[in-house]
Short mmCIF file of all heavy atoms in Angstrom, two decimals:
data_model
loop_
_atom_site.label_atom_id
_atom_site.label_comp_id
_atom_site.label_asym_id
_atom_site.label_seq_id
_atom_site.Cartn_x
_atom_site.Cartn_y
_atom_site.Cartn_z
N LEU A 7 1.72 -1.02 19.41
CA LEU A 7 0.98 -1.89 20.42
C LEU A 7 1.71 -3.09 20.66
O LEU A 7 1.71 -3.73 21.80
CB LEU A 7 -0.38 -2.09 19.90
CG LEU A 7 -1.35 -0.79 19.69
CD1 LEU A 7 -2.73 -1.24 19.23
CD2 LEU A 7 -1.52 -0.17 21.21
N SER A 8 2.27 -3.73 19.67
CA SER A 8 2.98 -4.94 19.85
C SER A 8 4.22 -4.81 20.78
O SER A 8 4.50 -5.68 21.62
CB SER A 8 3.44 -5.63 18.51
OG SER A 8 4.20 -6.79 18.70
N GLN A 9 4.93 -3.69 20.61
CA GLN A 9 5.96 -3.43 21.36
C GLN A 9 5.59 -3.15 22.86
O GLN A 9 6.40 -3.57 23.80
CB GLN A 9 6.76 -2.19 20.86
CG GLN A 9 7.48 -2.38 19.59
CD GLN A 9 8.05 -1.17 18.98
OE1 GLN A 9 7.98 -0.11 19.58
NE2 GLN A 9 8.73 -1.29 17.86
N GLU A 10 4.44 -2.62 23.09
CA GLU A 10 3.86 -2.47 24.50
C GLU A 10 3.25 -3.63 24.95
O GLU A 10 2.60 -3.60 25.98
CB GLU A 10 2.99 -1.18 24.44
CG GLU A 10 3.76 0.05 24.04
CD GLU A 10 2.79 1.28 23.95
OE1 GLU A 10 1.56 1.05 24.08
OE2 GLU A 10 3.27 2.42 23.76
N GLU A 11 3.12 -4.70 24.20
CA GLU A 11 2.42 -5.99 24.55
C GLU A 11 0.89 -5.75 24.72
O GLU A 11 0.27 -6.46 25.53
CB GLU A 11 3.00 -6.59 25.80
CG GLU A 11 4.44 -6.95 25.58
CD GLU A 11 5.03 -7.66 26.84
OE1 GLU A 11 4.30 -7.67 27.84
OE2 GLU A 11 6.21 -8.10 26.79
N ALA A 12 0.36 -4.83 24.01
CA ALA A 12 -1.05 -4.49 24.12
C ALA A 12 -1.80 -5.12 22.92
O ALA A 12 -3.07 -4.97 22.90
CB ALA A 12 -1.32 -2.98 24.08
N ALA A 13 -1.08 -5.80 22.00
CA ALA A 13 -1.82 -6.31 20.86
C ALA A 13 -1.11 -7.64 20.48
O ALA A 13 0.11 -7.85 20.85
CB ALA A 13 -1.74 -5.48 19.58
N SER A 14 -1.78 -8.56 19.97
CA SER A 14 -1.29 -9.83 19.62
C SER A 14 -0.38 -9.80 18.34
O SER A 14 -0.59 -8.91 17.54
CB SER A 14 -2.39 -10.91 19.45
OG SER A 14 -3.24 -10.56 18.40
N GLN A 15 0.42 -10.87 18.12
CA GLN A 15 1.28 -10.89 16.98
C GLN A 15 0.33 -11.21 15.73
O GLN A 15 0.73 -10.84 14.64
CB GLN A 15 2.39 -11.91 17.16
CG GLN A 15 3.41 -11.68 18.18
CD GLN A 15 4.26 -10.44 17.67
OE1 GLN A 15 4.56 -10.31 16.44
NE2 GLN A 15 4.61 -9.61 18.56
N LYS A 16 -0.67 -11.92 15.98
CA LYS A 16 -1.62 -12.18 14.82
C LYS A 16 -2.22 -10.98 14.21
O LYS A 16 -2.20 -10.84 12.89
CB LYS A 16 -2.72 -13.17 15.34
CG LYS A 16 -3.71 -13.54 14.13
CD LYS A 16 -4.77 -14.47 14.76
CE LYS A 16 -5.80 -14.85 13.69
NZ LYS A 16 -6.85 -15.74 14.24
N LYS A 17 -2.56 -10.00 14.99
CA LYS A 17 -3.04 -8.73 14.43
C LYS A 17 -2.00 -7.96 13.70
O LYS A 17 -2.27 -7.29 12.61
CB LYS A 17 -3.68 -7.88 15.58
CG LYS A 17 -5.05 -8.42 16.06
CD LYS A 17 -5.66 -7.42 17.12
CE LYS A 17 -6.95 -7.96 17.59
NZ LYS A 17 -7.51 -7.08 18.59
N LEU A 18 -0.81 -7.98 14.23
CA LEU A 18 0.30 -7.38 13.61
C LEU A 18 0.64 -7.85 12.27
O LEU A 18 0.83 -7.15 11.21
CB LEU A 18 1.55 -7.35 14.51
CG LEU A 18 2.88 -6.79 13.92
CD1 LEU A 18 2.66 -5.23 13.58
CD2 LEU A 18 4.04 -7.01 14.85
N GLN A 19 0.70 -9.25 12.16
CA GLN A 19 0.95 -9.89 10.92
C GLN A 19 -0.13 -9.65 9.86
O GLN A 19 0.12 -9.49 8.64
CB GLN A 19 1.17 -11.37 11.15
CG GLN A 19 2.37 -11.75 11.95
CD GLN A 19 2.49 -13.24 12.31
OE1 GLN A 19 1.57 -13.97 12.00
NE2 GLN A 19 3.56 -13.59 12.90
N GLN A 20 -1.42 -9.74 10.33
CA GLN A 20 -2.53 -9.41 9.46
C GLN A 20 -2.50 -7.96 8.89
O GLN A 20 -2.72 -7.61 7.70
CB GLN A 20 -3.85 -9.64 10.14
CG GLN A 20 -5.04 -9.43 9.16
CD GLN A 20 -5.10 -10.36 8.04
OE1 GLN A 20 -4.85 -11.57 8.25
NE2 GLN A 20 -5.37 -9.92 6.82
N SER A 21 -2.13 -7.02 9.73
CA SER A 21 -2.00 -5.63 9.37
C SER A 21 -0.83 -5.41 8.36
O SER A 21 -1.05 -4.73 7.41
CB SER A 21 -1.87 -4.72 10.60
OG SER A 21 -1.58 -3.43 10.21
N LYS A 22 0.24 -6.20 8.59
CA LYS A 22 1.35 -6.10 7.60
C LYS A 22 0.97 -6.64 6.25
O LYS A 22 1.42 -6.13 5.21
CB LYS A 22 2.60 -6.74 8.26
CG LYS A 22 3.78 -6.69 7.34
CD LYS A 22 5.01 -7.47 8.03
CE LYS A 22 6.22 -7.46 7.10
NZ LYS A 22 7.41 -8.13 7.79
N ALA A 23 0.33 -7.82 6.31
CA ALA A 23 -0.08 -8.39 5.02
C ALA A 23 -1.03 -7.54 4.19
O ALA A 23 -0.94 -7.37 2.93
CB ALA A 23 -0.81 -9.76 5.27
N ASP A 24 -2.03 -6.91 4.93
CA ASP A 24 -2.92 -6.00 4.13
C ASP A 24 -2.23 -4.76 3.55
O ASP A 24 -2.48 -4.37 2.47
CB ASP A 24 -3.98 -5.56 5.19
CG ASP A 24 -4.94 -6.64 5.63
OD1 ASP A 24 -5.02 -7.72 4.87
OD2 ASP A 24 -5.60 -6.45 6.63
N TYR A 25 -1.26 -4.29 4.36
CA TYR A 25 -0.52 -3.17 3.85
C TYR A 25 0.32 -3.42 2.60
O TYR A 25 0.33 -2.73 1.66
CB TYR A 25 0.38 -2.59 5.02
CG TYR A 25 1.50 -1.61 4.52
CD1 TYR A 25 1.09 -0.39 4.06
CD2 TYR A 25 2.77 -2.01 4.54
CE1 TYR A 25 2.08 0.53 3.64
CE2 TYR A 25 3.76 -1.19 4.18
CZ TYR A 25 3.43 0.04 3.68
OH TYR A 25 4.42 0.95 3.30
N LEU A 26 1.09 -4.52 2.67
CA LEU A 26 1.93 -4.97 1.50
C LEU A 26 1.06 -5.28 0.35
O LEU A 26 1.43 -5.00 -0.82
CB LEU A 26 2.88 -6.17 2.00
CG LEU A 26 3.81 -5.83 3.06
CD1 LEU A 26 4.69 -7.05 3.40
CD2 LEU A 26 4.78 -4.70 2.56
N SER A 27 -0.08 -5.97 0.52
CA SER A 27 -0.91 -6.33 -0.57
C SER A 27 -1.44 -5.08 -1.33
O SER A 27 -1.45 -4.99 -2.51
CB SER A 27 -2.14 -7.19 -0.15
OG SER A 27 -2.98 -7.45 -1.16
N MET A 28 -1.89 -4.06 -0.56
CA MET A 28 -2.42 -2.84 -1.17
C MET A 28 -1.29 -2.03 -1.82
O MET A 28 -1.53 -1.46 -2.90
CB MET A 28 -3.11 -2.04 -0.12
CG MET A 28 -3.78 -0.78 -0.66
SD MET A 28 -5.10 -1.19 -1.88
CE MET A 28 -6.24 -2.18 -0.85
N LYS A 29 -0.10 -2.16 -1.24
CA LYS A 29 1.09 -1.42 -1.85
C LYS A 29 1.37 -2.02 -3.25
O LYS A 29 1.68 -1.24 -4.14
CB LYS A 29 2.29 -1.54 -0.95
CG LYS A 29 3.45 -0.83 -1.43
CD LYS A 29 4.61 -0.91 -0.43
CE LYS A 29 5.76 -0.04 -0.89
NZ LYS A 29 6.96 -0.18 0.13
N SER A 30 1.32 -3.38 -3.36
CA SER A 30 1.64 -4.00 -4.69
C SER A 30 0.53 -3.63 -5.70
O SER A 30 0.83 -3.44 -6.92
CB SER A 30 1.68 -5.50 -4.53
OG SER A 30 0.45 -6.08 -4.12
N ARG A 31 -0.74 -3.55 -5.24
CA ARG A 31 -1.82 -3.16 -6.17
C ARG A 31 -1.60 -1.76 -6.69
O ARG A 31 -1.81 -1.47 -7.85
CB ARG A 31 -3.16 -3.23 -5.42
CG ARG A 31 -3.64 -4.69 -5.20
CD ARG A 31 -5.03 -4.67 -4.48
NE ARG A 31 -5.98 -3.97 -5.29
CZ ARG A 31 -7.26 -3.73 -4.75
NH1 ARG A 31 -7.61 -4.18 -3.60
NH2 ARG A 31 -8.14 -3.08 -5.57
N MET A 32 -1.25 -0.83 -5.82
CA MET A 32 -1.01 0.56 -6.26
C MET A 32 0.15 0.64 -7.21
O MET A 32 0.18 1.37 -8.23
CB MET A 32 -0.73 1.46 -5.00
CG MET A 32 -0.84 2.87 -5.34
SD MET A 32 -0.17 4.00 -4.11
CE MET A 32 1.54 3.73 -4.27
N GLN A 33 1.20 -0.17 -6.89
CA GLN A 33 2.44 -0.15 -7.75
C GLN A 33 2.10 -0.67 -9.18
O GLN A 33 2.57 -0.14 -10.18
CB GLN A 33 3.59 -0.97 -7.15
CG GLN A 33 4.13 -0.23 -5.94
CD GLN A 33 5.18 -1.15 -5.25
OE1 GLN A 33 5.18 -2.38 -5.43
NE2 GLN A 33 6.00 -0.58 -4.45
N ALA A 34 1.17 -1.63 -9.15
CA ALA A 34 0.72 -2.16 -10.53
C ALA A 34 0.01 -1.17 -11.37
O ALA A 34 0.15 -1.03 -12.49
CB ALA A 34 -0.08 -3.50 -10.31
N ALA A 35 -0.90 -0.51 -10.65
CA ALA A 35 -1.71 0.61 -11.30
C ALA A 35 -0.85 1.71 -11.76
O ALA A 35 -0.98 2.32 -12.83
CB ALA A 35 -2.71 1.23 -10.26
N VAL A 36 0.24 2.08 -11.06
CA VAL A 36 1.16 3.14 -11.39
C VAL A 36 1.89 2.70 -12.69
O VAL A 36 1.99 3.50 -13.63
CB VAL A 36 2.18 3.38 -10.31
CG1 VAL A 36 3.29 4.28 -10.77
CG2 VAL A 36 1.50 4.15 -9.16
N ALA A 37 2.37 1.49 -12.73
CA ALA A 37 3.11 0.92 -13.90
C ALA A 37 2.24 0.92 -15.14
O ALA A 37 2.70 1.31 -16.21
CB ALA A 37 3.52 -0.50 -13.61
N GLN A 38 0.94 0.59 -15.02
CA GLN A 38 0.05 0.58 -16.25
C GLN A 38 -0.20 1.99 -16.68
O GLN A 38 -0.28 2.27 -17.87
CB GLN A 38 -1.31 -0.14 -15.82
CG GLN A 38 -1.13 -1.53 -15.51
CD GLN A 38 -2.50 -2.21 -15.27
OE1 GLN A 38 -3.37 -2.22 -16.07
NE2 GLN A 38 -2.61 -2.74 -14.06
N LEU A 39 -0.36 2.93 -15.78
CA LEU A 39 -0.59 4.34 -16.18
C LEU A 39 0.57 4.91 -16.84
O LEU A 39 0.52 5.66 -17.87
CB LEU A 39 -1.00 5.17 -14.94
CG LEU A 39 -2.39 4.84 -14.35
CD1 LEU A 39 -2.56 5.63 -13.04
CD2 LEU A 39 -3.45 5.24 -15.32
N GLN A 40 1.79 4.52 -16.35
CA GLN A 40 2.99 5.06 -16.97
C GLN A 40 3.22 4.51 -18.37
O GLN A 40 3.78 5.20 -19.17
CB GLN A 40 4.25 4.74 -16.08
CG GLN A 40 4.28 5.56 -14.79
CD GLN A 40 5.43 5.17 -13.87
OE1 GLN A 40 6.03 4.04 -13.99
NE2 GLN A 40 5.79 6.00 -12.97
N LEU A 41 2.81 3.28 -18.63
CA LEU A 41 2.92 2.68 -19.85
C LEU A 41 1.90 3.53 -20.91
O LEU A 41 2.20 3.52 -22.06
CB LEU A 41 2.48 1.19 -19.93
CG LEU A 41 3.44 0.28 -19.37
CD1 LEU A 41 2.85 -1.17 -19.32
CD2 LEU A 41 4.75 0.24 -20.12
N LEU A 42 0.79 4.05 -20.40
CA LEU A 42 -0.10 4.78 -21.21
C LEU A 42 0.41 6.29 -21.33
O LEU A 42 -0.28 7.07 -22.03
CB LEU A 42 -1.46 4.78 -20.62
CG LEU A 42 -2.16 3.43 -20.56
CD1 LEU A 42 -3.41 3.50 -19.80
CD2 LEU A 42 -2.28 2.83 -21.88
N GLY A 43 1.54 6.60 -20.71
CA GLY A 43 2.02 7.95 -20.82
C GLY A 43 1.41 8.92 -19.80
O GLY A 43 1.42 10.12 -19.89
N ILE A 44 0.75 8.35 -18.67
CA ILE A 44 0.13 9.17 -17.65
C ILE A 44 1.00 9.17 -16.45
O ILE A 44 1.45 8.18 -15.98
CB ILE A 44 -1.21 8.57 -17.29
CG1 ILE A 44 -2.09 8.43 -18.58
CG2 ILE A 44 -1.90 9.43 -16.27
CD1 ILE A 44 -2.38 9.68 -19.26
N GLN A 45 1.27 10.40 -15.88
CA GLN A 45 1.88 10.55 -14.61
C GLN A 45 0.78 10.39 -13.50
O GLN A 45 0.05 11.37 -13.32
CB GLN A 45 2.55 11.99 -14.50
CG GLN A 45 3.70 12.07 -15.57
CD GLN A 45 4.77 11.10 -15.43
OE1 GLN A 45 5.09 10.63 -14.31
NE2 GLN A 45 5.32 10.64 -16.56
N PRO A 46 0.98 9.29 -12.67
CA PRO A 46 -0.14 9.12 -11.62
C PRO A 46 -0.27 10.29 -10.67
O PRO A 46 -1.36 10.51 -10.18
CB PRO A 46 0.42 7.78 -10.99
CG PRO A 46 1.20 7.10 -11.96
CD PRO A 46 1.94 8.16 -12.74
N GLU A 47 0.83 10.94 -10.30
CA GLU A 47 0.78 11.91 -9.27
C GLU A 47 -0.13 13.11 -9.78
O GLU A 47 -0.84 13.79 -8.93
CB GLU A 47 2.15 12.54 -9.02
CG GLU A 47 3.09 11.53 -8.44
CD GLU A 47 3.72 10.52 -9.38
OE1 GLU A 47 3.48 10.79 -10.55
OE2 GLU A 47 4.37 9.58 -8.90
N LYS A 48 -0.28 13.27 -11.09
CA LYS A 48 -1.15 14.43 -11.59
C LYS A 48 -2.64 14.09 -11.31
O LYS A 48 -3.41 15.00 -11.34
CB LYS A 48 -0.85 14.62 -13.06
CG LYS A 48 0.41 15.21 -13.31
CD LYS A 48 0.65 15.46 -14.87
CE LYS A 48 2.02 16.12 -15.07
NZ LYS A 48 2.32 16.39 -16.54
N LEU A 49 -2.95 12.80 -11.24
CA LEU A 49 -4.45 12.49 -11.03
C LEU A 49 -4.83 12.97 -9.68
O LEU A 49 -6.04 13.16 -9.50
CB LEU A 49 -4.59 11.00 -11.15
CG LEU A 49 -4.27 10.37 -12.56
CD1 LEU A 49 -4.44 8.84 -12.51
CD2 LEU A 49 -5.15 10.94 -13.61
N VAL A 50 -4.00 13.02 -8.76
CA VAL A 50 -4.44 13.42 -7.35
C VAL A 50 -4.94 14.89 -7.38
O VAL A 50 -5.90 15.14 -6.74
CB VAL A 50 -3.23 13.29 -6.36
CG1 VAL A 50 -3.68 13.74 -4.97
CG2 VAL A 50 -2.79 11.86 -6.36
N GLY A 51 -4.29 15.73 -8.13
CA GLY A 51 -4.69 17.12 -8.16
C GLY A 51 -5.71 17.39 -9.25
O GLY A 51 -6.59 18.22 -9.08
N HIS A 52 -5.62 16.69 -10.37
CA HIS A 52 -6.48 17.06 -11.59
C HIS A 52 -7.73 16.09 -11.62
O HIS A 52 -8.67 16.40 -12.38
CB HIS A 52 -5.73 16.97 -12.89
CG HIS A 52 -4.60 18.02 -12.86
ND1 HIS A 52 -3.39 17.82 -12.30
CD2 HIS A 52 -4.54 19.26 -13.49
CE1 HIS A 52 -2.61 18.88 -12.54
NE2 HIS A 52 -3.34 19.75 -13.20
N GLY A 53 -7.65 14.98 -10.95
CA GLY A 53 -8.83 14.09 -11.08
C GLY A 53 -8.70 13.16 -12.25
O GLY A 53 -7.68 13.10 -13.02
#
């Protein structure tokens, strides 16, 4: 939308910040599970 000038730069920056923040949270959870000997990908299929 930003490339088509249909959205403001503020919304783009906010969307980018939310995405990067959630990505770091997931990476932290993955690291903690791996320290416990758990493969995070297996939780998706096995619960």
Side-chain angles (χ1 to χ4, degrees):
L7 293 176
S8 177
Q9 292 174 357
E10 298 175 356
E11 297 183 356
S14 64
Q15 290 294 322
K16 182 178 180 181
K17 289 184 178 180
L18 175 62
Q19 293 175 354
Q20 182 63 47
S21 176
K22 181 179 180 180
D24 292 341
Y25 165 68
L26 294 178
S27 176
M28 187 59 63
K29 184 177 181 179
S30 65
R31 287 181 58 185
M32 192 192 76
Q33 290 176 341
V36 168
Q38 293 182 63
L39 288 173
Q40 289 177 341
L41 287 175
L42 298 175
I44 304 299
Q45 297 299 325
E47 294 79 8
K48 293 183 178 181
L49 295 179
V50 179
H52 296 82

